[in-house]
Amino acid sequence: MNHWLMKSEPDAFSIDDLKRKKREAWDGVRNYQARNFMRDGMRPGDKVFFYHSNCAVPGIVGIAEVASDAYPDPSQFDPESKYFDPGSSRDKPRWMLVDVKFVKKLKRTISLDEMKNDPALAEMPLLRKGNRLSVMPVDAAHWKYILALE
């Protein structure tokens, strides 16, 4: 089993939205490296830190689980979607997604500032200077350590 971190802006889709819906397609990823993580690395059953970004207190707010293998993101084919990609075709889809399902909301937000100030997390990809990926791996040691912070 692998561990991941997936970012979402809470105004667009929050941990509470996932809790209410129970399962959701993680659409709109338009970065090749993030897409490759979903397409090539994620498998059903993998655990995910749900991270709120671009908000007053960015940080890990919950846990989700990968609920499907990767499949083509239908929004890339929809001319009305903000994620439409005219260069993508149904024969050769450019963008993939996975479904995620709600596991739990954390008792508290593990904030980005808290993680940045913790030497045990210094090598975590999220905290690397210039990293703006919305989907990234989390190694098992960091996963376990962060869970203990809750």
Side-chain angles (χ1 to χ4, degrees):
M1 175 176 50
N2 293 313
H3 300 92
W4 305 93
L5 182 140
M6 298 175 89
K7 295 179 182 178
S8 182
E9 296 181 10
D11 291 346
F13 191 77
S14 71
I15 189 68
D16 293 324
D17 294 325
L18 184 59
K19 182 178 181 180
R20 182 175 38 78
K21 290 186 160 202
K22 303 205 181 343
R23 180 178 172 140
E24 184 73 5
W26 201 266
D27 66 353
V29 172
R30 294 298 182 266
N31 173 283
Y32 288 106
Q33 189 174 7
R35 182 236 18 220
N36 292 349
F37 286 141
M38 290 195 300
R39 182 190 67 196
D40 303 332
M42 288 186 169
R43 298 292 174 261
D46 285 357
K47 299 297 186 224
V48 176
F49 281 136
F50 195 109
Y51 182 96
H52 280 172
S53 64
N54 199 20
C55 56
V57 182
I60 297 169
V61 295
I63 297 173
E65 182 177 308
V66 176
S68 74
D69 286 316
Y71 61 95
D73 181 342
S75 67
Q76 69 191 308
F77 309 121
D78 179 2
E80 302 300 313
S81 172
K82 67 181 175 179
Y83 300 119
F84 176 61
D85 182 348
S88 186
S89 70
R90 292 190 187 276
D91 292 342
K92 285 188 158 188
R94 186 174 289 163
W95 305 109
M96 306 296 280
L97 59 74
V98 296
D99 291 348
V100 295
K101 66 181 179 182
F102 178 81
V103 173
K104 75 177 225 176
K105 185 174 178 176
L106 298 185
K107 294 177 190 127
R108 69 179 190 91
T109 299
I110 314 258
S111 74
L112 177 60
D113 284 342
E114 179 181 353
M115 289 185 279
K116 280 182 176 177
N117 291 313
D118 192 327
L121 299 174
E123 296 302 314
M124 190 173 178
L126 172 70
L127 306 178
R128 290 189 191 134
K129 197 167 189 79
N131 186 345
R132 299 190 37 84
L133 289 175
S134 61
V135 176
M136 65 194 75
V138 175
D139 73 38
H142 289 148
W143 179 270
K144 186 175 179 181
Y145 185 85
I146 291 168
L147 284 181
L149 295 174
E150 185 193 12

